[in-house]
Amino acid sequence: MIQKTKDLQYIPLSRDAGLSGYQALAERVIDTPLGKVSLAANQFGLSHLSFLPGQDDDFAAREVTLVARDRQALEQAEAHLDQAERELSAYFAGKLTTFSLALAPVGTPFQHRVWQALLAHPFGDAASYSDIASAIDNPKAVRAVGSANGANRIAIIIPCHRIIGKGGALTGYAYGLGIKRQLLALEAEAVGESL
């Protein structure tokens, strides 16, 4: 059952916020069991998490533009990257089911509502686009929910991989169905072990 949205740790930003100081300040590439992942953050939290394509992958890397800021803001961004790396390591080890790091995604108010519903969705459980549309009290917005899901720039943590077709079929994922399948399997195994 989908829960109604809850309070989040990210700052709601407008579509133009990326032009007014909320862009990424620092970036780091880490190795995960599913391949290399690019992380980027600003002084407010993690702003990007994306898989980097391997030799056999058919998706393109998502570009991140870094902006220059003062030393204090850069140190805050680096601290968010440190925490993201620690939490992702625990997630992939099956020891973390809820992320606590601050998030700073840039998007429209509607996208933020969808992302908030994704964050509220239980670890290890899949939902459909219509489930998420209902969770944000807009059941007719199924296509718009799909679009917002595709616009998510913080993979794994804002868990767009948990969204599947209404009939239970795997649907598109920016990083390919293979990675989506592996993320769902990792979470299912972690939930099975914790019961």
Side-chain angles (χ1 to χ4, degrees), residues 6-35:
K6 60 180 181 177
D7 292 335
L8 296 179
Q9 307 131 348
Y10 65 77
I11 302 165
L13 303 175
S14 73
R15 178 186 300 270
D16 298 325
L19 304 176
S20 61
Y22 291 98
Q23 289 178 315
L25 306 178
E27 184 177 25
R28 180 179 304 169
V29 174
I30 63 170
D31 288 312
T32 75
L34 302 185

Side-chain angles (χ1 to χ4, degrees), residues 19-112:
L19 304 176
S20 61
Y22 291 98
Q23 289 178 315
L25 306 178
E27 184 177 25
R28 180 179 304 169
V29 174
I30 63 170
D31 288 312
T32 75
L34 302 185
K36 292 192 180 297
V37 168
S38 171
L39 306 171
N42 58 37
Q43 68 269 40
F44 303 110
L46 193 71
S47 59
H48 299 80
L49 187 160
S50 60
F51 285 93
L52 296 176
Q55 184 176 353
D56 298 327
D57 291 319
D58 61 356
F59 62 89
R62 290 185 167 183
E63 296 294 321
V64 175
T65 302
L66 299 180
V67 296
R69 296 293 282 206
D70 62 70
R71 185 169 187 77
Q72 181 181 3
L74 184 58
E75 288 173 357
Q76 291 169 326
E78 290 287 350
H80 292 303
L81 292 177
D82 291 342
Q83 184 178 358
E85 189 170 355
R86 285 191 305 273
E87 290 191 16
L88 284 166
S89 177
Y91 169 84
F92 281 111
K95 298 177 181 177
L96 183 123
T97 60
T98 303
F99 292 93
S100 62
L101 70 152
L103 303 178
V106 175
T108 66
F110 179 82
Q111 288 170 335
H112 278 267

Side-chain angles (χ1 to χ4, degrees), residues 105-126:
V106 175
T108 66
F110 179 82
Q111 288 170 335
H112 278 267
R113 287 179 59 214
V114 170
W115 299 337
Q116 190 168 2
L118 292 172
L119 285 164
H121 191 69
F123 177 91
D125 186 35

Side-chain angles (χ1 to χ4, degrees), residues 91 124 151 153 162 168:
Y91 169 84
R153 293 296 179 257
R162 294 183 193 150

